[in-house]
Amino acid sequence: MTEPPRAISWTGTAIQIIDQTALPTQLRVLVIDQIDDLVSAIQRLAVRGAPALGAIGGLGVVLALAQAQREGWTQATTHAAIDRIRQARPTAVNLARGVDRVRDRLADGPAAALGEALSILAENEAANRSIGAQGADWILTHVSRRPLRVLTHCNTGSLATAAYGTALGIIRALHHRDVLEIVYVDETRPLLQGSRLTAWELAADGIAHLVQPDAAAASTVLGGLVDVAVIGADRIAANGDTANKIGTLGIALACADADIPFVVAAPQTTIDLTTPTGQAITIELRDDAELLTWGDTRLAPTTTRAHNPAFDITPARLITALVTQAGVLEVAHGHRPDTTAAPGRLTVPG
Amino acid sequence: MTEPPRAISWTGTAIQIIDQTALPTQLRVLVIDQIDDLVSAIQRLAVRGAPALGAIGGLGVVLALAQAQREGWTQATTHAAIDRIRQARPTAVNLARGVDRVRDRLADGPAAALGEALSILAENEAANRSIGAQGADWILTHVSRRPLRVLTHCNTGSLATAAYGTALGIIRALHHRDVLEIVYVDETRPLLQGSRLTAWELAADGIAHLVQPDAAAASTVLGGLVDVAVIGADRIAANGDTANKIGTLGIALACADADIPFVVAAPQTTIDLTTPTGQAITIELRDDAELLTWGDTRLAPTTTRAHNPAFDITPARLITALVTQAGVLEVAHGHRPDTTAAPGRLTVPG
């Protein structure tokens, strides 16, 4: 098996990333040594994916320190730069978490900060391998058909994380166990993370797959073409409501109707116990041009405006299982992330 | 109000159409006087939409007659050409119906055939204006919020029909009654009939609208941003199951979950009583390139294949109302198109 690419690393003086906007036609590596460039890379989605953003947040603090030292920044300037990274994208809690975790170590010196940032990367990879194994175990216990046909959305692989992937980690684990028939990959408009990134990772690993329009997901599920849907998460509220790439909710509704499992895979850091329900999650509305233009081509009349939310909220009642490195919660059966918040809802899984 | 454009007409020697693949950046008119060009125009979706295809089927027979006379075809060659038109797209029943209706008049001579073909156009426009009025009446009776916020998918307007539109006809009628706030338009991948065509028609009529990714439809519905979904149909089975543009099913599932009406608008000719249920409808699988390339740009790895169904089937249980020129059937309550086929299912609408 080929090792999946490392999307994020620290060169000693800069952050190195694979530019996800150039895939699949070009494997372009960016070496970023300026905070301005990092904020821009985050905002134009050159780096994206909740766990990857956590790692980038941590390394961003290290980069701010390095640039501050080179350019003689004051402490206030340095913290303002760190805040800019922290706020580059509002919905993904991991970005802010990664920033805060490394910022908290600044008093211990640059080496401690770097160590903390690299720990985020290492811990995320370990978490993903655990998520992959436990998610595969759960699916093999709860779904009888062999080989399995899986639906996924957006990109949750080695590009979106430190390595291996979350939902795509489960898919990789199923593949390694030789029980996977095919993966249906939603193309994931408007930025095509499914067709550009997930298909690229699956092709690299030799995993059979088909890319479909996002709008086909419901009919693929109700038509009996898949046995389980496995997706990632950008933020999970205390009650289990999950913010993830726009389109996730529609898949969950289809799985509920067809009575097949809808599985969310995410590291524990994605769970935000300070957010009681999905209603408290800010949904990022992205630029019209992302949806209404393709390069220089206008796809709609010039006067037309867009509604372009980056995420949707899937209510906990639609989530069959939430897989983290700590185990599997059967959310729709009342096993919520914050079990103390709603004890009355706890029931024995069916 | 500006009159919506005539997408289909007969010049006396040729079929004239607006090339829907060139919109919204270019208003290109095609004059087609060869059956080969007509079949190609149908297959590359230069003309599309169920009722428009019915009109094109009828005019196609007239065109075959004209070309046969010019080129001295035998009767067998003429009928083979007519069959090629009839089979240019397998799912839309209207195309075959339009062909058959005019072919049945061939014995009466070319003038009778032309008259029959032009009748299809005139009847479709009359049907659409009736659908618009009755659909608007039904919605205003069943939805209390004013002004109304409507979701639609694909293009069902004057481009997709002889004139006025089906689902878009209802939207036009609501606009003319001054009760319409906004229309959420799914972009409708892969061919973008929503952002390219529906937004173009709405902009021309001065109707407020926002284009959204198809994957946003579920969250727009569950998030309380719309009061009713109104869509078209390509084929309706005797039990009410409806084939329509891929993505329709997902909207229907979201509307059922949010308990808002899901309204299907179509001329009666779209109902095919010889098709007992949706399972009997052939779903056209379209070419990979339509989804995986944009112009010369490859959107997925070169080895990646696509699952690219043009339509999905929405089961009757999810369809609140079916509006035809003959009236409104409350399908989910048991008022099915073929009430004799399943009398046990008839119940009083709630």
Side-chain angles (χ1 to χ4, degrees), chain A residues 187 189 209 211 257 294 304-305 307 317, chain B residues 187 189 209 211 257 294 304-305 307 317:
Chain A
E187 64 167 347
R189 279 280 291 159
H209 62 283
V211 170
D257 191 85
W294 181 271
T304 293
R305 299 292 311 272
H307 174 60
R317 66 183 160 88
Chain B
E187 63 168 346
R189 280 278 292 156
H209 62 283
V211 170
D257 190 85
W294 181 271
T304 292
R305 299 293 312 272
H307 173 61
R317 65 182 161 90

mmCIF file with all atom_site columns, all heavy atoms in Angstrom, chain A residues 187 189 209 211 257 294 304-305 307 317, chain B residues 187 189 209 211 257 294 304-305 307 317:
data_model
loop_
_atom_site.group_PDB
_atom_site.id
_atom_site.type_symbol
_atom_site.label_atom_id
_atom_site.label_alt_id
_atom_site.label_comp_id
_atom_site.label_asym_id
_atom_site.label_entity_id
_atom_site.label_seq_id
_atom_site.pdbx_PDB_ins_code
_atom_site.Cartn_x
_atom_site.Cartn_y
_atom_site.Cartn_z
_atom_site.occupancy
_atom_site.B_iso_or_equiv
_atom_site.pdbx_formal_charge
_atom_site.auth_seq_id
_atom_site.auth_comp_id
_atom_site.auth_asym_id
_atom_site.auth_atom_id
_atom_site.pdbx_PDB_model_num
ATOM 1   N N   . GLU A 1 187 ? -19.646 14.693 -5.145  1.00 0.00 ? 187 GLU A N   1
ATOM 2   C CA  . GLU A 1 187 ? -18.633 15.616 -5.675  1.00 0.00 ? 187 GLU A CA  1
ATOM 3   C C   . GLU A 1 187 ? -18.375 16.806 -4.743  1.00 0.00 ? 187 GLU A C   1
ATOM 4   O O   . GLU A 1 187 ? -17.268 17.318 -4.687  1.00 0.00 ? 187 GLU A O   1
ATOM 5   C CB  . GLU A 1 187 ? -19.030 16.117 -7.068  1.00 0.00 ? 187 GLU A CB  1
ATOM 6   C CG  . GLU A 1 187 ? -20.302 16.935 -7.092  1.00 0.00 ? 187 GLU A CG  1
ATOM 7   C CD  . GLU A 1 187 ? -20.489 17.684 -8.415  1.00 0.00 ? 187 GLU A CD  1
ATOM 8   O OE1 . GLU A 1 187 ? -19.542 17.781 -9.223  1.00 0.00 ? 187 GLU A OE1 1
ATOM 9   O OE2 . GLU A 1 187 ? -21.610 18.186 -8.645  1.00 0.00 ? 187 GLU A OE2 1
ATOM 10  N N   . ARG A 1 189 ? -20.159 20.162 -4.148  1.00 0.00 ? 189 ARG A N   1
ATOM 11  C CA  . ARG A 1 189 ? -20.141 21.538 -4.642  1.00 0.00 ? 189 ARG A CA  1
ATOM 12  C C   . ARG A 1 189 ? -20.189 22.510 -3.473  1.00 0.00 ? 189 ARG A C   1
ATOM 13  O O   . ARG A 1 189 ? -20.733 22.175 -2.412  1.00 0.00 ? 189 ARG A O   1
ATOM 14  C CB  . ARG A 1 189 ? -21.361 21.755 -5.564  1.00 0.00 ? 189 ARG A CB  1
ATOM 15  C CG  . ARG A 1 189 ? -21.148 21.236 -6.963  1.00 0.00 ? 189 ARG A CG  1
ATOM 16  C CD  . ARG A 1 189 ? -20.343 22.189 -7.821  1.00 0.00 ? 189 ARG A CD  1
ATOM 17  N NE  . ARG A 1 189 ? -21.093 23.416 -8.135  1.00 0.00 ? 189 ARG A NE  1
ATOM 18  C CZ  . ARG A 1 189 ? -20.525 24.559 -8.514  1.00 0.00 ? 189 ARG A CZ  1
ATOM 19  N NH1 . ARG A 1 189 ? -19.198 24.656 -8.595  1.00 0.00 ? 189 ARG A NH1 1
ATOM 20  N NH2 . ARG A 1 189 ? -21.255 25.603 -8.779  1.00 0.00 ? 189 ARG A NH2 1
ATOM 21  N N   . HIS A 1 209 ? -14.232 3.339  -6.490  1.00 0.00 ? 209 HIS A N   1
ATOM 22  C CA  . HIS A 1 209 ? -15.127 4.437  -6.128  1.00 0.00 ? 209 HIS A CA  1
ATOM 23  C C   . HIS A 1 209 ? -15.826 4.996  -7.352  1.00 0.00 ? 209 HIS A C   1
ATOM 24  O O   . HIS A 1 209 ? -15.368 4.807  -8.481  1.00 0.00 ? 209 HIS A O   1
ATOM 25  C CB  . HIS A 1 209 ? -14.350 5.553  -5.422  1.00 0.00 ? 209 HIS A CB  1
ATOM 26  C CG  . HIS A 1 209 ? -13.283 6.180  -6.282  1.00 0.00 ? 209 HIS A CG  1
ATOM 27  N ND1 . HIS A 1 209 ? -12.073 5.573  -6.523  1.00 0.00 ? 209 HIS A ND1 1
ATOM 28  C CD2 . HIS A 1 209 ? -13.260 7.344  -6.974  1.00 0.00 ? 209 HIS A CD2 1
ATOM 29  C CE1 . HIS A 1 209 ? -11.340 6.349  -7.314  1.00 0.00 ? 209 HIS A CE1 1
ATOM 30  N NE2 . HIS A 1 209 ? -12.041 7.421  -7.609  1.00 0.00 ? 209 HIS A NE2 1
ATOM 31  N N   . VAL A 1 211 ? -17.769 8.803  -8.385  1.00 0.00 ? 211 VAL A N   1
ATOM 32  C CA  . VAL A 1 211 ? -18.163 10.157 -7.992  1.00 0.00 ? 211 VAL A CA  1
ATOM 33  C C   . VAL A 1 211 ? -19.580 10.414 -8.501  1.00 0.00 ? 211 VAL A C   1
ATOM 34  O O   . VAL A 1 211 ? -19.909 10.062 -9.637  1.00 0.00 ? 211 VAL A O   1
ATOM 35  C CB  . VAL A 1 211 ? -17.188 11.208 -8.554  1.00 0.00 ? 211 VAL A CB  1
ATOM 36  C CG1 . VAL A 1 211 ? -17.729 12.626 -8.364  1.00 0.00 ? 211 VAL A CG1 1
ATOM 37  C CG2 . VAL A 1 211 ? -15.822 11.064 -7.881  1.00 0.00 ? 211 VAL A CG2 1
ATOM 38  N N   . ASP A 1 257 ? -34.599 7.519  6.335   1.00 0.00 ? 257 ASP A N   1
ATOM 39  C CA  . ASP A 1 257 ? -35.754 7.004  5.589   1.00 0.00 ? 257 ASP A CA  1
ATOM 40  C C   . ASP A 1 257 ? -35.522 5.563  5.142   1.00 0.00 ? 257 ASP A C   1
ATOM 41  O O   . ASP A 1 257 ? -36.426 4.737  5.167   1.00 0.00 ? 257 ASP A O   1
ATOM 42  C CB  . ASP A 1 257 ? -36.036 7.892  4.376   1.00 0.00 ? 257 ASP A CB  1
ATOM 43  C CG  . ASP A 1 257 ? -37.363 7.558  3.720   1.00 0.00 ? 257 ASP A CG  1
ATOM 44  O OD1 . ASP A 1 257 ? -38.391 8.082  4.190   1.00 0.00 ? 257 ASP A OD1 1
ATOM 45  O OD2 . ASP A 1 257 ? -37.382 6.755  2.768   1.00 0.00 ? 257 ASP A OD2 1
ATOM 46  N N   . TRP A 1 294 ? -17.196 30.047 -12.636 1.00 0.00 ? 294 TRP A N   1
ATOM 47  C CA  . TRP A 1 294 ? -16.218 28.972 -12.799 1.00 0.00 ? 294 TRP A CA  1
ATOM 48  C C   . TRP A 1 294 ? -15.054 29.594 -13.574 1.00 0.00 ? 294 TRP A C   1
ATOM 49  O O   . TRP A 1 294 ? -15.186 29.848 -14.760 1.00 0.00 ? 294 TRP A O   1
ATOM 50  C CB  . TRP A 1 294 ? -16.786 27.780 -13.556 1.00 0.00 ? 294 TRP A CB  1
ATOM 51  C CG  . TRP A 1 294 ? -15.745 26.714 -13.676 1.00 0.00 ? 294 TRP A CG  1
ATOM 52  C CD1 . TRP A 1 294 ? -14.833 26.563 -14.663 1.00 0.00 ? 294 TRP A CD1 1
ATOM 53  C CD2 . TRP A 1 294 ? -15.483 25.687 -12.726 1.00 0.00 ? 294 TRP A CD2 1
ATOM 54  N NE1 . TRP A 1 294 ? -14.013 25.506 -14.397 1.00 0.00 ? 294 TRP A NE1 1
ATOM 55  C CE2 . TRP A 1 294 ? -14.381 24.950 -13.205 1.00 0.00 ? 294 TRP A CE2 1
ATOM 56  C CE3 . TRP A 1 294 ? -16.060 25.311 -11.501 1.00 0.00 ? 294 TRP A CE3 1
ATOM 57  C CZ2 . TRP A 1 294 ? -13.847 23.856 -12.519 1.00 0.00 ? 294 TRP A CZ2 1
ATOM 58  C CZ3 . TRP A 1 294 ? -15.538 24.231 -10.834 1.00 0.00 ? 294 TRP A CZ3 1
ATOM 59  C CH2 . TRP A 1 294 ? -14.444 23.513 -11.343 1.00 0.00 ? 294 TRP A CH2 1
ATOM 60  N N   . THR A 1 304 ? -27.891 37.943 -10.456 1.00 0.00 ? 304 THR A N   1
ATOM 61  C CA  . THR A 1 304 ? -28.292 36.877 -9.530  1.00 0.00 ? 304 THR A CA  1
ATOM 62  C C   . THR A 1 304 ? -27.336 36.790 -8.343  1.00 0.00 ? 304 THR A C   1
ATOM 63  O O   . THR A 1 304 ? -26.121 36.881 -8.509  1.00 0.00 ? 304 THR A O   1
ATOM 64  C CB  . THR A 1 304 ? -28.344 35.528 -10.291 1.00 0.00 ? 304 THR A CB  1
ATOM 65  O OG1 . THR A 1 304 ? -29.406 35.583 -11.245 1.00 0.00 ? 304 THR A OG1 1
ATOM 66  C CG2 . THR A 1 304 ? -28.558 34.355 -9.348  1.00 0.00 ? 304 THR A CG2 1
ATOM 67  N N   . ARG A 1 305 ? -27.887 36.620 -7.143  1.00 0.00 ? 305 ARG A N   1
ATOM 68  C CA  . ARG A 1 305 ? -27.094 36.423 -5.929  1.00 0.00 ? 305 ARG A CA  1
ATOM 69  C C   . ARG A 1 305 ? -27.222 34.975 -5.455  1.00 0.00 ? 305 ARG A C   1
ATOM 70  O O   . ARG A 1 305 ? -28.108 34.245 -5.888  1.00 0.00 ? 305 ARG A O   1
ATOM 71  C CB  . ARG A 1 305 ? -27.580 37.363 -4.803  1.00 0.00 ? 305 ARG A CB  1
ATOM 72  C CG  . ARG A 1 305 ? -27.481 38.854 -5.119  1.00 0.00 ? 305 ARG A CG  1
ATOM 73  C CD  . ARG A 1 305 ? -26.030 39.344 -5.226  1.00 0.00 ? 305 ARG A CD  1
ATOM 74  N NE  . ARG A 1 305 ? -25.211 38.920 -4.106  1.00 0.00 ? 305 ARG A NE  1
ATOM 75  C CZ  . ARG A 1 305 ? -25.061 39.579 -2.957  1.00 0.00 ? 305 ARG A CZ  1
ATOM 76  N NH1 . ARG A 1 305 ? -25.689 40.726 -2.793  1.00 0.00 ? 305 ARG A NH1 1
ATOM 77  N NH2 . ARG A 1 305 ? -24.293 39.107 -1.989  1.00 0.00 ? 305 ARG A NH2 1
ATOM 78  N N   . HIS A 1 307 ? -27.096 31.919 -2.209  1.00 0.00 ? 307 HIS A N   1
ATOM 79  C CA  . HIS A 1 307 ? -27.150 31.480 -0.806  1.00 0.00 ? 307 HIS A CA  1
ATOM 80  C C   . HIS A 1 307 ? -26.155 30.328 -0.713  1.00 0.00 ? 307 HIS A C   1
ATOM 81  O O   . HIS A 1 307 ? -26.401 29.255 -1.252  1.00 0.00 ? 307 HIS A O   1
ATOM 82  C CB  . HIS A 1 307 ? -28.574 31.008 -0.476  1.00 0.00 ? 307 HIS A CB  1
ATOM 83  C CG  . HIS A 1 307 ? -28.717 30.407 0.890   1.00 0.00 ? 307 HIS A CG  1
ATOM 84  N ND1 . HIS A 1 307 ? -28.434 31.101 2.038   1.00 0.00 ? 307 HIS A ND1 1
ATOM 85  C CD2 . HIS A 1 307 ? -29.105 29.162 1.290   1.00 0.00 ? 307 HIS A CD2 1
ATOM 86  C CE1 . HIS A 1 307 ? -28.642 30.320 3.091   1.00 0.00 ? 307 HIS A CE1 1
ATOM 87  N NE2 . HIS A 1 307 ? -29.048 29.137 2.655   1.00 0.00 ? 307 HIS A NE2 1
ATOM 88  N N   . ARG A 1 317 ? -30.872 13.286 16.360  1.00 0.00 ? 317 ARG A N   1
ATOM 89  C CA  . ARG A 1 317 ? -31.815 12.169 16.134  1.00 0.00 ? 317 ARG A CA  1
ATOM 90  C C   . ARG A 1 317 ? -31.525 11.402 14.854  1.00 0.00 ? 317 ARG A C   1
ATOM 91  O O   . ARG A 1 317 ? -31.982 10.274 14.680  1.00 0.00 ? 317 ARG A O   1
ATOM 92  C CB  . ARG A 1 317 ? -33.257 12.703 16.116  1.00 0.00 ? 317 ARG A CB  1
ATOM 93  C CG  . ARG A 1 317 ? -33.565 13.630 14.937  1.00 0.00 ? 317 ARG A CG  1
ATOM 94  C CD  . ARG A 1 317 ? -34.988 14.197 14.999  1.00 0.00 ? 317 ARG A CD  1
ATOM 95  N NE  . ARG A 1 317 ? -35.125 15.391 14.179  1.00 0.00 ? 317 ARG A NE  1
ATOM 96  C CZ  . ARG A 1 317 ? -35.445 15.392 12.867  1.00 0.00 ? 317 ARG A CZ  1
ATOM 97  N NH1 . ARG A 1 317 ? -35.694 14.248 12.238  1.00 0.00 ? 317 ARG A NH1 1
ATOM 98  N NH2 . ARG A 1 317 ? -35.514 16.524 12.202  1.00 0.00 ? 317 ARG A NH2 1
ATOM 99  N N   . GLU B 1 187 ? -28.876 24.998 -7.873  1.00 0.00 ? 187 GLU B N   1
ATOM 100 C CA  . GLU B 1 187 ? -28.109 25.208 -9.107  1.00 0.00 ? 187 GLU B CA  1
ATOM 101 C C   . GLU B 1 187 ? -28.312 24.057 -10.113 1.00 0.00 ? 187 GLU B C   1
ATOM 102 O O   . GLU B 1 187 ? -28.265 24.270 -11.319 1.00 0.00 ? 187 GLU B O   1
ATOM 103 C CB  . GLU B 1 187 ? -26.621 25.391 -8.806  1.00 0.00 ? 187 GLU B CB  1
ATOM 104 C CG  . GLU B 1 187 ? -25.955 24.183 -8.182  1.00 0.00 ? 187 GLU B CG  1
ATOM 105 C CD  . GLU B 1 187 ? -24.425 24.308 -8.182  1.00 0.00 ? 187 GLU B CD  1
ATOM 106 O OE1 . GLU B 1 187 ? -23.863 25.179 -8.874  1.00 0.00 ? 187 GLU B OE1 1
ATOM 107 O OE2 . GLU B 1 187 ? -23.799 23.495 -7.482  1.00 0.00 ? 187 GLU B OE2 1
ATOM 108 N N   . ARG B 1 189 ? -26.740 20.572 -10.490 1.00 0.00 ? 189 ARG B N   1
ATOM 109 C CA  . ARG B 1 189 ? -25.609 19.933 -11.149 1.00 0.00 ? 189 ARG B CA  1
ATOM 110 C C   . ARG B 1 189 ? -26.073 18.641 -11.810 1.00 0.00 ? 189 ARG B C   1
ATOM 111 O O   . ARG B 1 189 ? -27.056 18.053 -11.379 1.00 0.00 ? 189 ARG B O   1
ATOM 112 C CB  . ARG B 1 189 ? -24.515 19.612 -10.094 1.00 0.00 ? 189 ARG B CB  1
ATOM 113 C CG  . ARG B 1 189 ? -23.683 20.832 -9.743  1.00 0.00 ? 189 ARG B CG  1
ATOM 114 C CD  . ARG B 1 189 ? -22.580 21.082 -10.757 1.00 0.00 ? 189 ARG B CD  1
ATOM 115 N NE  . ARG B 1 189 ? -21.554 20.054 -10.729 1.00 0.00 ? 189 ARG B NE  1
ATOM 116 C CZ  . ARG B 1 189 ? -20.745 19.753 -11.738 1.00 0.00 ? 189 ARG B CZ  1
ATOM 117 N NH1 . ARG B 1 189 ? -20.857 20.383 -12.893 1.00 0.00 ? 189 ARG B NH1 1
ATOM 118 N NH2 . ARG B 1 189 ? -19.830 18.823 -11.631 1.00 0.00 ? 189 ARG B NH2 1
ATOM 119 N N   . HIS B 1 209 ? -34.615 36.148 -6.176  1.00 0.00 ? 209 HIS B N   1
ATOM 120 C CA  . HIS B 1 209 ? -34.192 34.744 -6.072  1.00 0.00 ? 209 HIS B CA  1
ATOM 121 C C   . HIS B 1 209 ? -32.767 34.664 -5.568  1.00 0.00 ? 209 HIS B C   1
ATOM 122 O O   . HIS B 1 209 ? -31.997 35.624 -5.676  1.00 0.00 ? 209 HIS B O   1
ATOM 123 C CB  . HIS B 1 209 ? -34.319 34.055 -7.426  1.00 0.00 ? 209 HIS B CB  1
ATOM 124 C CG  . HIS B 1 209 ? -33.453 34.644 -8.497  1.00 0.00 ? 209 HIS B CG  1
ATOM 125 N ND1 . HIS B 1 209 ? -33.780 35.823 -9.144  1.00 0.00 ? 209 HIS B ND1 1
ATOM 126 C CD2 . HIS B 1 209 ? -32.259 34.257 -9.019  1.00 0.00 ? 209 HIS B CD2 1
ATOM 127 C CE1 . HIS B 1 209 ? -32.843 36.121 -10.022 1.00 0.00 ? 209 HIS B CE1 1
ATOM 128 N NE2 . HIS B 1 209 ? -31.897 35.192 -9.965  1.00 0.00 ? 209 HIS B NE2 1
ATOM 129 N N   . VAL B 1 211 ? -29.581 31.630 -5.795  1.00 0.00 ? 211 VAL B N   1
ATOM 130 C CA  . VAL B 1 211 ? -29.138 30.311 -6.244  1.00 0.00 ? 211 VAL B CA  1
ATOM 131 C C   . VAL B 1 211 ? -28.347 29.659 -5.113  1.00 0.00 ? 211 VAL B C   1
ATOM 132 O O   . VAL B 1 211 ? -27.523 30.316 -4.460  1.00 0.00 ? 211 VAL B O   1
ATOM 133 C CB  . VAL B 1 211 ? -28.272 30.429 -7.515  1.00 0.00 ? 211 VAL B CB  1
ATOM 134 C CG1 . VAL B 1 211 ? -27.604 29.095 -7.847  1.00 0.00 ? 211 VAL B CG1 1
ATOM 135 C CG2 . VAL B 1 211 ? -29.130 30.896 -8.689  1.00 0.00 ? 211 VAL B CG2 1
ATOM 136 N N   . ASP B 1 257 ? -39.773 15.851 6.426   1.00 0.00 ? 257 ASP B N   1
ATOM 137 C CA  . ASP B 1 257 ? -39.237 15.978 7.786   1.00 0.00 ? 257 ASP B CA  1
ATOM 138 C C   . ASP B 1 257 ? -39.662 17.299 8.413   1.00 0.00 ? 257 ASP B C   1
ATOM 139 O O   . ASP B 1 257 ? -39.982 17.358 9.601   1.00 0.00 ? 257 ASP B O   1
ATOM 140 C CB  . ASP B 1 257 ? -37.714 15.869 7.752   1.00 0.00 ? 257 ASP B CB  1
ATOM 141 C CG  . ASP B 1 257 ? -37.125 15.741 9.145   1.00 0.00 ? 257 ASP B CG  1
ATOM 142 O OD1 . ASP B 1 257 ? -37.076 14.600 9.652   1.00 0.00 ? 257 ASP B OD1 1
ATOM 143 O OD2 . ASP B 1 257 ? -36.764 16.773 9.735   1.00 0.00 ? 257 ASP B OD2 1
ATOM 144 N N   . TRP B 1 294 ? -14.924 20.019 -16.715 1.00 0.00 ? 294 TRP B N   1
ATOM 145 C CA  . TRP B 1 294 ? -15.525 21.336 -16.945 1.00 0.00 ? 294 TRP B CA  1
ATOM 146 C C   . TRP B 1 294 ? -14.747 21.935 -18.099 1.00 0.00 ? 294 TRP B C   1
ATOM 147 O O   . TRP B 1 294 ? -13.596 22.318 -17.926 1.00 0.00 ? 294 TRP B O   1
ATOM 148 C CB  . TRP B 1 294 ? -15.432 22.228 -15.704 1.00 0.00 ? 294 TRP B CB  1
ATOM 149 C CG  . TRP B 1 294 ? -16.069 23.554 -15.980 1.00 0.00 ? 294 TRP B CG  1
ATOM 150 C CD1 . TRP B 1 294 ? -15.461 24.656 -16.497 1.00 0.00 ? 294 TRP B CD1 1
ATOM 151 C CD2 . TRP B 1 294 ? -17.436 23.884 -15.806 1.00 0.00 ? 294 TRP B CD2 1
ATOM 152 N NE1 . TRP B 1 294 ? -16.387 25.656 -16.653 1.00 0.00 ? 294 TRP B NE1 1
ATOM 153 C CE2 . TRP B 1 294 ? -17.604 25.220 -16.243 1.00 0.00 ? 294 TRP B CE2 1
ATOM 154 C CE3 . TRP B 1 294 ? -18.549 23.184 -15.330 1.00 0.00 ? 294 TRP B CE3 1
ATOM 155 C CZ2 . TRP B 1 294 ? -18.841 25.866 -16.207 1.00 0.00 ? 294 TRP B CZ2 1
ATOM 156 C CZ3 . TRP B 1 294 ? -19.771 23.839 -15.303 1.00 0.00 ? 294 TRP B CZ3 1
ATOM 157 C CH2 . TRP B 1 294 ? -19.910 25.165 -15.732 1.00 0.00 ? 294 TRP B CH2 1
ATOM 158 N N   . THR B 1 304 ? -10.832 7.948  -12.310 1.00 0.00 ? 304 THR B N   1
ATOM 159 C CA  . THR B 1 304 ? -12.104 7.971  -11.571 1.00 0.00 ? 304 THR B CA  1
ATOM 160 C C   . THR B 1 304 ? -13.290 7.900  -12.528 1.00 0.00 ? 304 THR B C   1
ATOM 161 O O   . THR B 1 304 ? -13.301 8.555  -13.566 1.00 0.00 ? 304 THR B O   1
ATOM 162 C CB  . THR B 1 304 ? -12.181 9.243  -10.705 1.00 0.00 ? 304 THR B CB  1
ATOM 163 O OG1 . THR B 1 304 ? -11.195 9.149  -9.670  1.00 0.00 ? 304 THR B OG1 1
ATOM 164 C CG2 . THR B 1 304 ? -13.552 9.415  -10.077 1.00 0.00 ? 304 THR B CG2 1
ATOM 165 N N   . ARG B 1 305 ? -14.297 7.093  -12.177 1.00 0.00 ? 305 ARG B N   1
ATOM 166 C CA  . ARG B 1 305 ? -15.541 6.998  -12.944 1.00 0.00 ? 305 ARG B CA  1
ATOM 167 C C   . ARG B 1 305 ? -16.678 7.665  -12.167 1.00 0.00 ? 305 ARG B C   1
ATOM 168 O O   . ARG B 1 305 ? -16.549 7.919  -10.974 1.00 0.00 ? 305 ARG B O   1
ATOM 169 C CB  . ARG B 1 305 ? -15.899 5.517  -13.206 1.00 0.00 ? 305 ARG B CB  1
ATOM 170 C CG  . ARG B 1 305 ? -14.862 4.743  -14.016 1.00 0.00 ? 305 ARG B CG  1
ATOM 171 C CD  . ARG B 1 305 ? -14.760 5.238  -15.454 1.00 0.00 ? 305 ARG B CD  1
ATOM 172 N NE  . ARG B 1 305 ? -16.051 5.391  -16.113 1.00 0.00 ? 305 ARG B NE  1
ATOM 173 C CZ  . ARG B 1 305 ? -16.674 4.414  -16.784 1.00 0.00 ? 305 ARG B CZ  1
ATOM 174 N NH1 . ARG B 1 305 ? -16.116 3.222  -16.911 1.00 0.00 ? 305 ARG B NH1 1
ATOM 175 N NH2 . ARG B 1 305 ? -17.851 4.631  -17.346 1.00 0.00 ? 305 ARG B NH2 1
ATOM 176 N N   . HIS B 1 307 ? -21.013 8.047  -11.231 1.00 0.00 ? 307 HIS B N   1
ATOM 177 C CA  . HIS B 1 307 ? -22.402 7.570  -11.182 1.00 0.00 ? 307 HIS B CA  1
ATOM 178 C C   . HIS B 1 307 ? -23.250 8.817  -11.425 1.00 0.00 ? 307 HIS B C   1
ATOM 179 O O   . HIS B 1 307 ? -23.328 9.678  -10.561 1.00 0.00 ? 307 HIS B O   1
ATOM 180 C CB  . HIS B 1 307 ? -22.686 6.943  -9.811  1.00 0.00 ? 307 HIS B CB  1
ATOM 181 C CG  . HIS B 1 307 ? -24.125 6.563  -9.605  1.00 0.00 ? 307 HIS B CG  1
ATOM 182 N ND1 . HIS B 1 307 ? -24.759 5.639  -10.401 1.00 0.00 ? 307 HIS B ND1 1
ATOM 183 C CD2 . HIS B 1 307 ? -25.067 6.979  -8.702  1.00 0.00 ? 307 HIS B CD2 1
ATOM 184 C CE1 . HIS B 1 307 ? -26.021 5.497  -9.991  1.00 0.00 ? 307 HIS B CE1 1
ATOM 185 N NE2 . HIS B 1 307 ? -26.225 6.305  -8.967  1.00 0.00 ? 307 HIS B NE2 1
ATOM 186 N N   . ARG B 1 317 ? -45.681 8.693  -1.413  1.00 0.00 ? 317 ARG B N   1
ATOM 187 C CA  . ARG B 1 317 ? -45.921 9.051  -0.004  1.00 0.00 ? 317 ARG B CA  1
ATOM 188 C C   . ARG B 1 317 ? -45.304 10.395 0.378   1.00 0.00 ? 317 ARG B C   1
ATOM 189 O O   . ARG B 1 317 ? -45.679 10.987 1.385   1.00 0.00 ? 317 ARG B O   1
ATOM 190 C CB  . ARG B 1 317 ? -45.380 7.944  0.918   1.00 0.00 ? 317 ARG B CB  1
ATOM 191 C CG  . ARG B 1 317 ? -43.868 7.779  0.866   1.00 0.00 ? 317 ARG B CG  1
ATOM 192 C CD  . ARG B 1 317 ? -43.361 6.627  1.758   1.00 0.00 ? 317 ARG B CD  1
ATOM 193 N NE  . ARG B 1 317 ? -42.025 6.206  1.367   1.00 0.00 ? 317 ARG B NE  1
ATOM 194 C CZ  . ARG B 1 317 ? -40.891 6.715  1.856   1.00 0.00 ? 317 ARG B CZ  1
ATOM 195 N NH1 . ARG B 1 317 ? -40.925 7.670  2.762   1.00 0.00 ? 317 ARG B NH1 1
ATOM 196 N NH2 . ARG B 1 317 ? -39.718 6.264  1.439   1.00 0.00 ? 317 ARG B NH2 1
#
